[in-house]
């Protein structure tokens, strides 16, 4: 059940520059007070090393699936609300309607510790058409607003580093009963 909810929050990000798809990433669709936002890594919007500093909303494509293997739905990008190159985060306002009222409620937290179980979900470059969830644990505590997680014992990236590409920007969640607590976003994924 938790995996289904986490996957429902996950969006696939592609950048279209000069008629080409130039980047893939993941993000998390969260509901604000009066609209929806996608939270992701800065490099998922502006490219590695800020390659596309003048990216426009119409060059950013967000898509999500209601369920595993369901068709993709486009989510209209309205505006980039804020981003930080150094801290590697971005928040984008989107036009999304929760018609059936089933979008999961997400809370943010910094109240977690080493060995806590974290789940994240993203669209891997190796399989861009379906999100995949991963179980992991906090490897070390917060330092300078960052922390490391490592895959749980039985979870692996089957193709190594290449398989991990595209997971950047994924939301990392601490699940506490029915509460989905966003602890952060993946900024760098390594296939080891």
């Amino acid at each position: 059940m938790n995996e289904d909810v986490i996957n429902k929050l996950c969006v696939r990000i592609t950048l279209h520059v000069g008629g080409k798809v130039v980047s893939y990433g993941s993000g998390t669709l969260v509901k604000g007070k009066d609209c929806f936002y996608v939270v992701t890594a800065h490099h998922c919007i502006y490219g590695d090393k800020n390659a596309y500093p003048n990216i426009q909303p119409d060059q950013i494509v967000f898509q999500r699936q209601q369920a595993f293997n369901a068709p993709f739905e486009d989510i209209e990008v309205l505006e980039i609300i804020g981003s930080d190159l150094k801290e590697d985060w971005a928040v984008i306002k989107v036009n999304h309607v929760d018609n059936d009222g089933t979008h999961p409620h997400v809370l943010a937290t910094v109240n977690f510790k080493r060995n806590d179980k974290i789940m994240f979900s993203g669209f891997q470059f190796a399989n861009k058409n379906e999100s995949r969830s991963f179980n992991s644990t906090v490897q070390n505590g917060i330092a300078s607003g960052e922390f490391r997680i490592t895959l749980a014992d039985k979870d692996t990236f089957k193709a190594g580093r290449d398989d991990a590409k595209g997971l950047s920007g994924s939301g990392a969640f601490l699940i506490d009963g029915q509460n989905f607590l966003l602890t952060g976003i993946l900024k760098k994924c390594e296939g080891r």
Side-chain angles (χ1 to χ4, degrees):
M1 175 63 180
N2 289 338
E3 186 172 323
D4 293 339
V5 173
I6 296 297
N7 287 339
K8 191 171 184 176
L9 295 168
C10 184
V11 298
R12 177 173 72 177
I13 302 170
T14 55
L15 303 181
H16 296 254
V17 178
K20 296 180 182 177
V21 173
V22 296
S23 183
Y24 293 96
S26 299
T28 301
L29 180 65
V30 295
K31 186 175 184 177
K33 183 177 180 180
D34 56 358
C35 59
F36 281 84
Y37 300 89
V38 170
V39 179
T40 188
H42 182 279
H43 71 271
C44 292
I45 300 300
Y46 294 97
D48 289 336
K49 298 180 182 175
N50 209 32
Y52 312 107
N54 298 315
I55 195 90
Q56 297 300 305
D58 64 343
Q59 295 173 294
I60 304 166
V61 177
F62 292 147
Q63 296 176 307
R64 65 169 263 202
Q65 294 172 301
Q66 279 284 17
F68 179 74
N69 274 345
F72 279 94
E73 305 168 1
D74 288 341
I75 300 171
E76 180 186 8
V77 176
L78 297 175
E79 68 178 298
I80 300 170
I81 298 297
S83 66
D84 189 293
L85 172 64
K86 184 179 177 192
E87 298 294 323
D88 200 10
W89 61 264
V91 177
I92 296 91
K93 185 177 181 178
V94 297
N95 182 17
H96 177 72
V97 179
D98 184 20
N99 289 326
D100 58 5
T102 62
H103 190 81
H105 186 69
V106 175
L107 303 169
T109 186
V110 293
N111 190 21
F112 56 94
K113 58 191 178 307
R114 186 180 179 106
N115 296 323
D116 276 352
K117 294 180 181 184
I118 300 284
M119 181 179 278
F120 66 93
S121 184
F123 288 90
Q124 301 166 258
F125 181 75
N127 189 359
K128 298 180 281 280
N129 293 322
E130 63 185 53
S131 63
R132 180 176 169 208
S133 295
F134 296 89
N135 292 306
S136 59
T137 56
V138 175
Q139 190 174 14
N140 60 2
I142 298 175
S144 302
E146 295 184 1
F147 62 99
R148 291 178 186 247
I149 60 175
T150 187
L151 293 179
D153 293 337
K154 295 180 182 180
D155 241 335
T156 62
F157 298 127
K158 292 180 176 72
R161 183 176 173 86
D162 289 339
D163 200 32
K165 185 176 180 175
L167 293 173
S168 289
S170 299
F173 291 89
L174 177 65
I175 300 168
D176 181 19
Q178 295 299 315
N179 294 319
F180 294 86
L181 307 171
L182 183 63
T183 60
I185 57 169
L186 275 62
K187 293 168 44 172
K188 182 178 178 184
C189 300
E190 297 180 4
R192 56 185 167 94

